[in-house]
Amino acid sequence: RQCQCLDVLYLLYFNGHVVNRDDIKAYAWITLVAVQGEEIASQQRSIVKSRMSSQQLIEAEILFNRLYQEVLL
């Protein structure tokens, strides 16, 4: 269930529905799903990663680490 909720957050940021499109946030949220073993999340993460700059990827990893501490631990 938690994975489904995190996946919804990813989709909101990835597609820009309800919130502005934000690849950094999309990458961070889908990575949270991926580390829980959801195979499709790894594929989705590759898609969002392909449209990110190296600086955005660094920012996304920082955000992921913060969210991991707050959400999964």
Side-chain angles (χ1 to χ4, degrees):
R1 175 109 170 97
Q2 185 179 26
C3 284
Q4 289 174 334
C5 293
L6 297 175
D7 200 35
V8 167
L9 286 168
Y10 152 74
L11 287 171
L12 290 174
Y13 286 113
F14 181 79
N15 293 318
H17 294 300
V18 183
V19 296
N20 291 330
R21 189 178 113 182
D22 188 324
D23 289 338
I24 293 169
K25 290 178 182 174
Y27 183 90
W29 286 111
I30 201 60
T31 301
L32 284 176
V33 178
V35 299
Q36 294 179 74
E38 293 291 326
E39 184 62 35
I40 190 76
S42 295
Q43 296 168 359
Q44 292 170 327
R45 184 173 58 180
S46 294
I47 294 168
V48 71
K49 184 179 179 180
S50 72
R51 58 187 207 191
M52 296 173 70
S53 70
S54 57
Q55 181 59 39
Q56 286 176 311
L57 190 55
I58 290 168
E59 292 176 39
E61 290 290 341
I62 291 169
L63 178 58
F64 160 73
N65 287 322
R66 194 186 87 221
L67 291 172
Y68 183 84
Q69 295 293 320
E70 293 175 5
V71 175
L72 295 183
L73 295 184

